[in-house]
Amino acid sequence: MKIRKPFKIIAFDADDTLWINEPHYGEVEHQVENLLKQYLDAPDLKEQLYAREKVNLKLFGYGAKGFVLSLIETAIELTDSKISAADIHQIISWGKDMLTRPIEVLEGVENVLHELEEDYALMLLTKGDLFDQESKLARSNLARYFTHVEIVSEKNEQVYQGILDRYGIAASDLLMVGNSLRSDILPMVEIGVTAIHIPYHTTWVHELVNSKEAEKTSYLEFEQISKVLDWVRS
């Protein structure tokens, strides 16, 4: 007889939890940095780009489109407006490639979703650009596993509580699985939800949290997403 945890819904983050995402941003950053070498001896893109992204988040939100706009703006600033239209067009082209490239589902993900859908309603709970996230879900071929899809512009306690209220469930009825302590785990735990952290080897600096802050929060952490299945059914 299988023993199952008494959750009604299991929610999964998408980017770098179900499929590869952040490394693609790093690839484009590297390409732009190489592009800027014709204008600068040693272009220091990363720090200035992040500063620009932080300012632009409230205007563009999360996702590849805002990232590319911030890249272009940063490139113009770093080159003192000397970057050519052709090179700006190249950056836009790399951004378009990000929006259309095949989705690489992480190892073990599909089996976990397939097994869990037998006993639970599954929710995709991700933040970012609506069109981009819907496209990635469709290209991943994972949409059939999810009863619910929530794409939000921000992940915090207020947004998560609003989702609980909308579905009419208690915090104890929801299990959250994600790779970002800042977005997926800590705010969920704050409102009483059980959360499982699956670390990913690459994390956007905006999603990093102070280790002391994380230590004050009670959550589970597994190295592989397959362990989620083992824990839920143990």
Side-chain angles (χ1 to χ4, degrees):
M1 178 179 176
K2 289 187 297 186
I3 300 173
R4 57 189 293 275
K5 298 292 192 298
F7 301 112
K8 292 182 179 178
I9 299 177
I10 300 180
F12 290 85
D13 169 57
D15 295 335
D16 300 317
T17 298
L18 302 181
W19 53 66
I20 294 172
N21 181 66
E22 185 59 28
H24 302 325
Y25 286 73
E27 289 173 14
V28 174
E29 279 187 37
H30 182 67
Q31 288 172 313
V32 173
E33 200 159 51
N34 284 334
L35 181 72
L36 295 180
K37 287 180 180 177
Q38 61 186 298
Y39 302 97
L40 304 162
D41 291 335
D44 186 12
L45 178 66
K46 187 174 291 294
E47 185 174 338
Q48 192 157 334
L49 171 61
Y50 178 55
R52 177 53 53 194
E53 284 183 293
K54 283 203 301 182
V55 171
N56 286 342
L57 273 177
K58 59 181 173 290
L59 297 173
F60 305 141
Y62 297 92
K65 295 173 189 174
F67 168 69
V68 172
L69 288 170
S70 293
L71 266 176
I72 292 170
E73 192 172 2
T74 303
I76 291 170
E77 292 169 349
L78 286 173
T79 63
D80 195 23
S81 300
K82 293 182 176 65
I83 188 169
S84 70
D87 287 337
I88 290 175
H89 188 269
Q90 178 61 73
I91 296 173
I92 294 171
S93 178
W94 287 328
K96 287 181 177 179
D97 289 342
M98 290 179 67
L99 292 167
T100 58
R101 68 187 301 162
I103 299 299
E104 301 170 74
V105 175
L106 289 164
E107 183 179 358
V109 163
E110 188 155 12
N111 180 62
V112 168
L113 298 179
H114 175 71
E115 293 293 327
L116 289 177
E117 71 167 343
E118 296 179 6
D119 299 316
Y120 300 94
L122 302 185
M123 174 188 291
L124 183 77
L125 179 45
T126 186
K127 71 180 178 184
D129 177 78
L130 177 63
F131 186 86
D132 188 18
Q133 294 298 79
E134 286 181 336
S135 174
K136 284 192 282 189
L137 177 59
R139 284 180 283 136
S140 74
N141 293 317
L142 298 178
R144 63 186 182 275
Y145 296 110
F146 295 102
T147 307
H148 314 291
V149 175
E150 293 285 339
I151 300 172
V152 298
S153 58
E154 188 56 88
K155 285 181 170 179
N156 55 38
E157 289 93 332
Q158 292 75 27
V159 170
Y160 286 143
Q161 187 60 57
I163 291 172
L164 289 175
D165 293 343
R166 189 160 64 252
Y167 283 86
I169 63 172
S172 58
D173 293 330
L174 179 66
L175 171 65
M176 179 67 191
V177 180
N179 73 293
S180 170
L181 284 173
R182 177 173 180 163
S183 293
D184 304 322
I185 306 303
L186 302 188
M188 277 293 194
V189 173
E190 281 297 313
I191 63 170
V193 172
T194 300
I196 298 177
H197 181 222
I198 311 293
Y200 190 63
H201 62 80
T202 303
T203 303
W204 183 30
V205 62
H206 187 71
E207 296 295 331
L208 298 176
V209 299
N210 185 290
S211 58
K212 291 184 179 179
E213 180 183 355
E215 287 170 1
K216 293 186 289 186
T217 306
S218 178
Y219 59 90
L220 297 162
E221 183 170 292
F222 302 137
E223 292 182 2
Q224 301 172 338
I225 199 167
S226 60
K227 298 298 183 183
V228 174
L229 183 61
D230 296 337
W231 180 78
V232 167
R233 289 185 166 172
S234 66

